[in-house]
Amino acid sequence: MRSFFLTLFLLAALIALALGGAGLWWVHQPLKLPAPTVDLSVEPGTTPRGIAQAVADTGVDVQPQLLYLWFRVSGQDRQMRAGSYELERGITPKLLLNILVRGEEATRSLVLVEGWNIRQVRAALAKADQLKPDSVGLTDEALMAKLGKPGMHPEGRFFPDTYTYSKGSTDIALLQRAMRAMDKKLEAAWAARASDLPLKSADEALILASIVEKETGKANDRAEIAAVFTNRLRIGMPLQTDPTVIYGMGTAFEGNLRKKDLQTDTPWNTYTRGGLPPTPIAMPGKAALLAAVQPAQSKSLYFVSRGDGTSQFSSSLDDHNRAVNQYQRGGGSPNKPKATQ
């Protein structure tokens, strides 16, 4: 009798070892997916059994009962997180569990570029992969109200950076992050401002930074360009900067700025109006924000492009005319130039 029970025990042990070995082998085997990638959505509150069923419902060739058993045996079945996941070919039950436990959601990224205006931002959002376009159809005014800033102009209010997001996230959520980032960067820059700035508020610093962003060809010139504009503001001299004119033209600008455009008044035309324009004209980056509040110690009032991305700065109109003649007119007779170009 003892021999009989010993045999049964050994047989049971062998079966258990076989099953354990088969299970260990199975959790390391790639699952069969119906496509190179499969989207898996796990809603908050979904049970481990429901997650196993959701995996099978995507078309993955797996028995949900077996997958659920694996979740339970692992001891991590209550640690799996809700989210949007992307399963790729080669994924195993073990890797699947790791992804769910760690909450490694499928992500995409969107780059908001320094110097972009709000039209370009919204166009990029509309084209972003797997980003819900909740802002489509909203006016700029309605968009800002949705973001909790009713009455605020959207231009320049979003920090240019690379933003990652989960598949299925909304463009509104991404803009909220970008807006908070700009608020923090602007607050930090304003707190570090020079004591003699001719600026009354952080908003004015943001406006000036947006102009500096659009006018800077080479990073080394940024602080000097900011100095030109702050020097002009101090003495009440018009800023006369082309990017503000272009911004005021909106979609009417076709790539060539003409003399009549400089003479056509808009709220943003700094040739026809003094001081800063009423709003930013683009998204400034961190370096432009810092340049606007910490301009170079300089007496320059003019600058002109040298043609290589750098600028030639001058403190007098005569010197500026000579620079324009040298760098933009090939040595011909100087006519009266645009003040900052």
Side-chain angles (χ1 to χ4, degrees):
M1 184 64 69
R2 289 180 59 187
S3 176
F4 173 74
F5 283 114
L6 180 59
T7 301
L8 285 179
F9 174 77
L10 291 175
L11 182 59
L14 288 173
I15 293 173
L17 286 173
L19 290 174
L24 184 62
W25 173 85
W26 178 78
V27 298
H28 289 92
Q29 294 305 300
L31 295 168
K32 293 182 180 179
L33 274 58
T37 60
V38 172
D39 292 330
L40 172 65
S41 179
V42 178
E43 300 298 327
T46 305
T47 64
R49 189 185 297 276
I51 295 175
Q53 185 61 54
V55 173
D57 289 344
T58 65
V60 175
D61 186 11
V62 64
Q63 289 294 325
Q65 297 87 348
L66 183 58
L67 191 58
Y68 169 62
L69 179 61
W70 158 234
F71 293 161
R72 289 294 304 274
V73 170
S74 72
Q76 297 179 292
D77 54 314
R78 296 296 177 182
Q79 300 175 33
M80 294 186 292
R81 304 179 186 180
S84 297
Y85 300 93
E86 190 173 78
L87 312 184
E88 299 181 346
R89 281 185 177 165
I91 191 169
T92 65
K94 180 177 176 58
L95 290 176
L96 172 61
L97 178 61
N98 289 342
I99 289 172
L100 293 169
V101 169
R102 294 172 184 167
E104 295 176 358
E105 295 187 67
T107 59
R108 297 291 187 270
S109 63
L110 175 66
V111 179
L112 300 184
V113 179
E114 294 173 349
W116 271 6
N117 60 38
I118 188 61
R119 293 193 307 275
Q120 292 169 302
V121 170
R122 298 194 68 172
L125 289 171
K127 295 177 182 177
D129 183 36
Q130 300 290 335
L131 188 65
K132 290 182 180 178
D134 287 357
S135 69
V136 172
L138 296 179
T139 63
D140 286 349
E141 293 77 10
L143 174 62
M144 293 308 289
K146 190 85 171 176
L147 291 170
K149 300 285 186 178
M152 178 180 285
H153 197 282
E155 198 63 75
R157 295 292 173 175
F158 307 101
F159 187 70
D161 204 347
T162 299
Y163 294 91
T164 59
Y165 57 90
S166 300
K167 292 176 65 174
S169 296
T170 69
D171 55 0
I172 297 290
L174 190 147
L175 284 176
Q176 286 175 328
R177 291 166 54 201
M179 185 172 67
R180 287 194 297 268
M182 180 58 85
D183 288 344
K184 291 180 180 178
K185 298 292 185 183
L186 180 58
E187 181 182 2
W190 185 245
R193 67 189 182 278
S195 59
D196 59 343
L197 279 184
L199 303 175
K200 300 176 182 177
S201 66
D203 281 355
E204 287 194 355
L206 181 63
I207 294 170
L208 178 56
S210 72
I211 297 173
V212 172
E213 186 69 70
K214 295 298 290 185
E215 283 281 22
T216 302
K218 292 289 186 178
N220 290 341
D221 288 341
R222 192 176 281 114
E224 187 79 12
I225 288 173
V228 168
F229 293 124
T230 53
N231 288 340
R232 287 185 169 223
L233 288 171
R234 285 191 184 98
I235 64 176
M237 185 177 181
L239 298 186
Q240 294 181 310
T241 169
D242 290 359
T244 62
V245 179
I246 294 169
Y247 182 82
M249 293 174 66
T251 57
F253 180 65
E254 298 178 346
N256 182 33
L257 196 62
R258 300 160 295 183
K259 183 177 180 180
K260 71 174 184 177
D261 297 326
L262 302 178
Q263 298 171 339
T264 301
D265 183 54
T266 74
W268 290 272
N269 189 332
T270 54
Y271 284 85
T272 61
R273 301 195 182 197
L276 292 165
T279 72
I281 61 172
M283 295 187 302
K286 180 180 178 181
L289 287 169
L290 291 176
V293 298
Q294 297 176 359
Q297 295 297 313
S298 167
K299 295 182 179 180
S300 297
L301 290 170
Y302 307 89
F303 63 91
V304 64
S305 173
R306 295 191 181 105
D308 62 357
T310 64
S311 297
Q312 178 68 36
F313 297 91
S314 305
S315 57
S316 72
L317 184 56
D318 286 343
D319 287 345
H320 179 59
N321 285 338
R322 282 190 286 272
V324 170
N325 187 49
Q326 177 180 353
Y327 293 109
Q328 292 195 348
R329 297 200 178 105
S333 59
N335 297 316
K336 188 174 182 180
K338 292 177 285 183
T340 59
Q341 298 298 308

mmCIF file of all heavy atoms in Angstrom, residues 155-184:
data_model
loop_
_atom_site.group_PDB
_atom_site.id
_atom_site.type_symbol
_atom_site.label_atom_id
_atom_site.label_comp_id
_atom_site.label_asym_id
_atom_site.label_seq_id
_atom_site.Cartn_x
_atom_site.Cartn_y
_atom_site.Cartn_z
ATOM 1 N N GLU A 155 -1.991 83.428 -28.963
ATOM 2 C CA GLU A 155 -0.666 83.508 -29.572
ATOM 3 C C GLU A 155 0.436 83.561 -28.517
ATOM 4 O O GLU A 155 0.385 84.350 -27.568
ATOM 5 C CB GLU A 155 -0.576 84.740 -30.471
ATOM 6 C CG GLU A 155 0.568 84.675 -31.450
ATOM 7 C CD GLU A 155 0.407 83.515 -32.418
ATOM 8 O OE1 GLU A 155 -0.426 83.606 -33.328
ATOM 9 O OE2 GLU A 155 1.132 82.502 -32.244
ATOM 10 N N GLY A 156 1.422 82.699 -28.680
ATOM 11 C CA GLY A 156 2.584 82.705 -27.815
ATOM 12 C C GLY A 156 2.378 82.085 -26.454
ATOM 13 O O GLY A 156 3.306 82.072 -25.633
ATOM 14 N N ARG A 157 1.204 81.543 -26.181
ATOM 15 C CA ARG A 157 0.880 81.066 -24.838
ATOM 16 C C ARG A 157 1.239 79.600 -24.602
ATOM 17 O O ARG A 157 0.978 79.062 -23.524
ATOM 18 C CB ARG A 157 -0.612 81.272 -24.565
ATOM 19 C CG ARG A 157 -1.014 82.736 -24.535
ATOM 20 C CD ARG A 157 -0.409 83.446 -23.346
ATOM 21 N NE ARG A 157 -0.633 84.886 -23.382
ATOM 22 C CZ ARG A 157 -0.281 85.718 -22.411
ATOM 23 N NH1 ARG A 157 0.316 85.239 -21.337
ATOM 24 N NH2 ARG A 157 -0.500 87.009 -22.518
ATOM 25 N N PHE A 158 1.838 78.957 -25.608
ATOM 26 C CA PHE A 158 2.182 77.542 -25.487
ATOM 27 C C PHE A 158 3.690 77.388 -25.668
ATOM 28 O O PHE A 158 4.266 77.915 -26.617
ATOM 29 C CB PHE A 158 1.409 76.726 -26.517
ATOM 30 C CG PHE A 158 -0.072 76.969 -26.455
ATOM 31 C CD1 PHE A 158 -0.690 77.805 -27.374
ATOM 32 C CD2 PHE A 158 -0.843 76.408 -25.457
ATOM 33 C CE1 PHE A 158 -2.051 78.063 -27.300
ATOM 34 C CE2 PHE A 158 -2.205 76.654 -25.368
ATOM 35 C CZ PHE A 158 -2.810 77.484 -26.296
ATOM 36 N N PHE A 159 4.310 76.649 -24.753
ATOM 37 C CA PHE A 159 5.763 76.542 -24.789
ATOM 38 C C PHE A 159 6.206 75.555 -25.864
ATOM 39 O O PHE A 159 5.724 74.412 -25.907
ATOM 40 C CB PHE A 159 6.299 76.095 -23.431
ATOM 41 C CG PHE A 159 7.791 76.132 -23.345
ATOM 42 C CD1 PHE A 159 8.463 77.342 -23.331
ATOM 43 C CD2 PHE A 159 8.529 74.960 -23.296
ATOM 44 C CE1 PHE A 159 9.849 77.387 -23.259
ATOM 45 C CE2 PHE A 159 9.907 74.993 -23.227
ATOM 46 C CZ PHE A 159 10.577 76.215 -23.209
ATOM 47 N N PRO A 160 7.129 75.953 -26.734
ATOM 48 C CA PRO A 160 7.618 75.045 -27.778
ATOM 49 C C PRO A 160 8.523 73.973 -27.191
ATOM 50 O O PRO A 160 9.525 74.277 -26.548
ATOM 51 C CB PRO A 160 8.383 75.981 -28.727
ATOM 52 C CG PRO A 160 8.810 77.125 -27.856
ATOM 53 C CD PRO A 160 7.725 77.295 -26.833
ATOM 54 N N ASP A 161 8.156 72.721 -27.424
ATOM 55 C CA ASP A 161 8.905 71.603 -26.854
ATOM 56 C C ASP A 161 8.412 70.326 -27.527
ATOM 57 O O ASP A 161 7.475 70.351 -28.340
ATOM 58 C CB ASP A 161 8.679 71.531 -25.347
ATOM 59 C CG ASP A 161 9.813 70.825 -24.608
ATOM 60 O OD1 ASP A 161 10.644 70.183 -25.274
ATOM 61 O OD2 ASP A 161 9.849 70.905 -23.370
ATOM 62 N N THR A 162 9.018 69.195 -27.172
ATOM 63 C CA THR A 162 8.536 67.893 -27.636
ATOM 64 C C THR A 162 7.634 67.312 -26.553
ATOM 65 O O THR A 162 8.065 67.141 -25.411
ATOM 66 C CB THR A 162 9.699 66.936 -27.918
ATOM 67 O OG1 THR A 162 10.527 67.492 -28.947
ATOM 68 C CG2 THR A 162 9.175 65.577 -28.372
ATOM 69 N N TYR A 163 6.400 67.002 -26.927
ATOM 70 C CA TYR A 163 5.413 66.494 -25.973
ATOM 71 C C TYR A 163 5.046 65.058 -26.338
ATOM 72 O O TYR A 163 4.663 64.782 -27.478
ATOM 73 C CB TYR A 163 4.162 67.376 -25.970
ATOM 74 C CG TYR A 163 4.424 68.763 -25.446
ATOM 75 C CD1 TYR A 163 4.794 69.795 -26.306
ATOM 76 C CD2 TYR A 163 4.331 69.035 -24.089
ATOM 77 C CE1 TYR A 163 5.060 71.069 -25.827
ATOM 78 C CE2 TYR A 163 4.594 70.308 -23.589
ATOM 79 C CZ TYR A 163 4.957 71.316 -24.471
ATOM 80 O OH TYR A 163 5.225 72.578 -23.974
ATOM 81 N N THR A 164 5.183 64.159 -25.376
ATOM 82 C CA THR A 164 4.725 62.787 -25.581
ATOM 83 C C THR A 164 3.312 62.655 -25.026
ATOM 84 O O THR A 164 2.946 63.347 -24.070
ATOM 85 C CB THR A 164 5.651 61.783 -24.879
ATOM 86 O OG1 THR A 164 5.690 62.074 -23.472
ATOM 87 C CG2 THR A 164 7.062 61.851 -25.454
ATOM 88 N N TYR A 165 2.553 61.770 -25.639
ATOM 89 C CA TYR A 165 1.176 61.579 -25.195
ATOM 90 C C TYR A 165 0.755 60.139 -25.483
ATOM 91 O O TYR A 165 1.306 59.473 -26.373
ATOM 92 C CB TYR A 165 0.232 62.550 -25.907
ATOM 93 C CG TYR A 165 0.252 62.454 -27.424
ATOM 94 C CD1 TYR A 165 -0.606 61.590 -28.102
ATOM 95 C CD2 TYR A 165 1.147 63.211 -28.174
ATOM 96 C CE1 TYR A 165 -0.583 61.489 -29.481
ATOM 97 C CE2 TYR A 165 1.192 63.117 -29.554
ATOM 98 C CZ TYR A 165 0.317 62.261 -30.208
ATOM 99 O OH TYR A 165 0.352 62.155 -31.585
ATOM 100 N N SER A 166 -0.198 59.676 -24.716
ATOM 101 C CA SER A 166 -0.721 58.328 -24.906
ATOM 102 C C SER A 166 -1.691 58.320 -26.076
ATOM 103 O O SER A 166 -2.386 59.319 -26.343
ATOM 104 C CB SER A 166 -1.443 57.852 -23.644
ATOM 105 O OG SER A 166 -0.563 57.826 -22.550
ATOM 106 N N LYS A 167 -1.740 57.218 -26.771
ATOM 107 C CA LYS A 167 -2.699 57.080 -27.863
ATOM 108 C C LYS A 167 -4.105 57.288 -27.308
ATOM 109 O O LYS A 167 -4.479 56.724 -26.295
ATOM 110 C CB LYS A 167 -2.588 55.706 -28.503
ATOM 111 C CG LYS A 167 -1.283 55.483 -29.245
ATOM 112 C CD LYS A 167 -1.169 54.068 -29.775
ATOM 113 C CE LYS A 167 -2.210 53.769 -30.825
ATOM 114 N NZ LYS A 167 -2.022 52.443 -31.439
ATOM 115 N N GLY A 168 -4.850 58.142 -27.990
ATOM 116 C CA GLY A 168 -6.206 58.415 -27.545
ATOM 117 C C GLY A 168 -6.324 59.640 -26.666
ATOM 118 O O GLY A 168 -7.435 60.030 -26.291
ATOM 119 N N SER A 169 -5.173 60.266 -26.320
ATOM 120 C CA SER A 169 -5.226 61.513 -25.562
ATOM 121 C C SER A 169 -5.830 62.607 -26.436
ATOM 122 O O SER A 169 -5.874 62.500 -27.658
ATOM 123 C CB SER A 169 -3.828 61.934 -25.114
ATOM 124 O OG SER A 169 -3.279 61.000 -24.218
ATOM 125 N N THR A 170 -6.265 63.695 -25.810
ATOM 126 C CA THR A 170 -6.880 64.782 -26.563
ATOM 127 C C THR A 170 -5.878 65.911 -26.806
ATOM 128 O O THR A 170 -4.949 66.112 -26.020
ATOM 129 C CB THR A 170 -8.100 65.358 -25.816
ATOM 130 O OG1 THR A 170 -7.651 66.058 -24.643
ATOM 131 C CG2 THR A 170 -9.065 64.245 -25.419
ATOM 132 N N ASP A 171 -6.095 66.629 -27.889
ATOM 133 C CA ASP A 171 -5.237 67.781 -28.167
ATOM 134 C C ASP A 171 -5.428 68.877 -27.120
ATOM 135 O O ASP A 171 -4.502 69.641 -26.830
ATOM 136 C CB ASP A 171 -5.472 68.318 -29.576
ATOM 137 C CG ASP A 171 -6.926 68.667 -29.860
ATOM 138 O OD1 ASP A 171 -7.776 68.509 -28.967
ATOM 139 O OD2 ASP A 171 -7.219 69.100 -30.988
ATOM 140 N N ILE A 172 -6.609 68.936 -26.524
ATOM 141 C CA ILE A 172 -6.851 69.911 -25.459
ATOM 142 C C ILE A 172 -5.927 69.637 -24.275
ATOM 143 O O ILE A 172 -5.323 70.553 -23.709
ATOM 144 C CB ILE A 172 -8.320 69.868 -24.992
ATOM 145 C CG1 ILE A 172 -9.272 70.275 -26.135
ATOM 146 C CG2 ILE A 172 -8.522 70.757 -23.781
ATOM 147 C CD1 ILE A 172 -9.213 71.720 -26.516
ATOM 148 N N ALA A 173 -5.785 68.357 -23.912
ATOM 149 C CA ALA A 173 -4.912 67.987 -22.794
ATOM 150 C C ALA A 173 -3.460 68.348 -23.094
ATOM 151 O O ALA A 173 -2.728 68.814 -22.213
ATOM 152 C CB ALA A 173 -5.046 66.501 -22.491
ATOM 153 N N LEU A 174 -3.032 68.130 -24.331
ATOM 154 C CA LEU A 174 -1.658 68.461 -24.698
ATOM 155 C C LEU A 174 -1.441 69.977 -24.633
ATOM 156 O O LEU A 174 -0.413 70.447 -24.129
ATOM 157 C CB LEU A 174 -1.343 67.933 -26.093
ATOM 158 C CG LEU A 174 0.133 68.000 -26.523
ATOM 159 C CD1 LEU A 174 0.475 66.835 -27.433
ATOM 160 C CD2 LEU A 174 0.466 69.309 -27.222
ATOM 161 N N LEU A 175 -2.409 70.745 -25.122
ATOM 162 C CA LEU A 175 -2.292 72.199 -25.077
ATOM 163 C C LEU A 175 -2.269 72.712 -23.638
ATOM 164 O O LEU A 175 -1.580 73.688 -23.334
ATOM 165 C CB LEU A 175 -3.444 72.846 -25.846
ATOM 166 C CG LEU A 175 -3.333 72.815 -27.373
ATOM 167 C CD1 LEU A 175 -4.591 73.396 -28.008
ATOM 168 C CD2 LEU A 175 -2.100 73.567 -27.851
ATOM 169 N N GLN A 176 -3.017 72.064 -22.766
ATOM 170 C CA GLN A 176 -2.988 72.461 -21.354
ATOM 171 C C GLN A 176 -1.591 72.291 -20.772
ATOM 172 O O GLN A 176 -1.108 73.146 -20.022
ATOM 173 C CB GLN A 176 -4.006 71.641 -20.556
ATOM 174 C CG GLN A 176 -5.448 72.054 -20.792
ATOM 175 C CD GLN A 176 -6.439 71.158 -20.080
ATOM 176 O OE1 GLN A 176 -6.191 69.961 -19.900
ATOM 177 N NE2 GLN A 176 -7.574 71.709 -19.693
ATOM 178 N N ARG A 177 -0.930 71.194 -21.131
ATOM 179 C CA ARG A 177 0.437 70.974 -20.667
ATOM 180 C C ARG A 177 1.378 72.043 -21.223
ATOM 181 O O ARG A 177 2.229 72.579 -20.498
ATOM 182 C CB ARG A 177 0.917 69.592 -21.083
ATOM 183 C CG ARG A 177 0.226 68.452 -20.355
ATOM 184 C CD ARG A 177 0.485 67.119 -21.046
ATOM 185 N NE ARG A 177 1.900 66.858 -21.217
ATOM 186 C CZ ARG A 177 2.399 66.000 -22.109
ATOM 187 N NH1 ARG A 177 1.582 65.317 -22.909
ATOM 188 N NH2 ARG A 177 3.692 65.799 -22.194
ATOM 189 N N ALA A 178 1.230 72.346 -22.514
ATOM 190 C CA ALA A 178 2.091 73.343 -23.147
ATOM 191 C C ALA A 178 1.841 74.738 -22.564
ATOM 192 O O ALA A 178 2.779 75.534 -22.416
ATOM 193 C CB ALA A 178 1.866 73.347 -24.655
ATOM 194 N N MET A 179 0.599 75.019 -22.218
ATOM 195 C CA MET A 179 0.262 76.318 -21.639
ATOM 196 C C MET A 179 0.841 76.444 -20.232
ATOM 197 O O MET A 179 1.410 77.486 -19.871
ATOM 198 C CB MET A 179 -1.254 76.509 -21.612
ATOM 199 C CG MET A 179 -1.706 77.887 -21.137
ATOM 200 S SD MET A 179 -3.489 78.124 -21.333
ATOM 201 C CE MET A 179 -4.089 76.916 -20.129
ATOM 202 N N ARG A 180 0.718 75.384 -19.442
ATOM 203 C CA ARG A 180 1.298 75.406 -18.095
ATOM 204 C C ARG A 180 2.818 75.554 -18.164
ATOM 205 O O ARG A 180 3.426 76.252 -17.338
ATOM 206 C CB ARG A 180 0.917 74.137 -17.326
ATOM 207 C CG ARG A 180 -0.539 74.098 -16.881
ATOM 208 C CD ARG A 180 -0.755 73.002 -15.851
ATOM 209 N NE ARG A 180 -0.496 71.674 -16.385
ATOM 210 C CZ ARG A 180 -1.401 70.890 -16.927
ATOM 211 N NH1 ARG A 180 -2.671 71.303 -17.009
ATOM 212 N NH2 ARG A 180 -1.091 69.683 -17.374
ATOM 213 N N ALA A 181 3.427 74.888 -19.138
ATOM 214 C CA ALA A 181 4.882 74.979 -19.295
ATOM 215 C C ALA A 181 5.294 76.417 -19.612
ATOM 216 O O ALA A 181 6.276 76.929 -19.061
ATOM 217 C CB ALA A 181 5.363 74.028 -20.391
ATOM 218 N N MET A 182 4.554 77.075 -20.504
ATOM 219 C CA MET A 182 4.879 78.465 -20.838
ATOM 220 C C MET A 182 4.680 79.368 -19.636
ATOM 221 O O MET A 182 5.495 80.266 -19.378
ATOM 222 C CB MET A 182 4.044 78.955 -22.016
ATOM 223 C CG MET A 182 4.336 80.395 -22.420
ATOM 224 S SD MET A 182 6.079 80.685 -22.877
ATOM 225 C CE MET A 182 6.055 80.187 -24.608
ATOM 226 N N ASP A 183 3.617 79.154 -18.879
ATOM 227 C CA ASP A 183 3.386 79.960 -17.683
ATOM 228 C C ASP A 183 4.580 79.867 -16.729
ATOM 229 O O ASP A 183 5.038 80.877 -16.171
ATOM 230 C CB ASP A 183 2.111 79.505 -16.969
ATOM 231 C CG ASP A 183 0.843 79.898 -17.715
ATOM 232 O OD1 ASP A 183 0.925 80.770 -18.614
ATOM 233 O OD2 ASP A 183 -0.217 79.332 -17.406
ATOM 234 N N LYS A 184 5.091 78.653 -16.537
ATOM 235 C CA LYS A 184 6.215 78.453 -15.616
ATOM 236 C C LYS A 184 7.497 79.081 -16.162
ATOM 237 O O LYS A 184 8.251 79.723 -15.416
ATOM 238 C CB LYS A 184 6.428 76.967 -15.364
ATOM 239 C CG LYS A 184 5.326 76.303 -14.547
ATOM 240 C CD LYS A 184 5.598 74.820 -14.342
ATOM 241 C CE LYS A 184 4.493 74.163 -13.530
ATOM 242 N NZ LYS A 184 4.721 72.698 -13.354
#
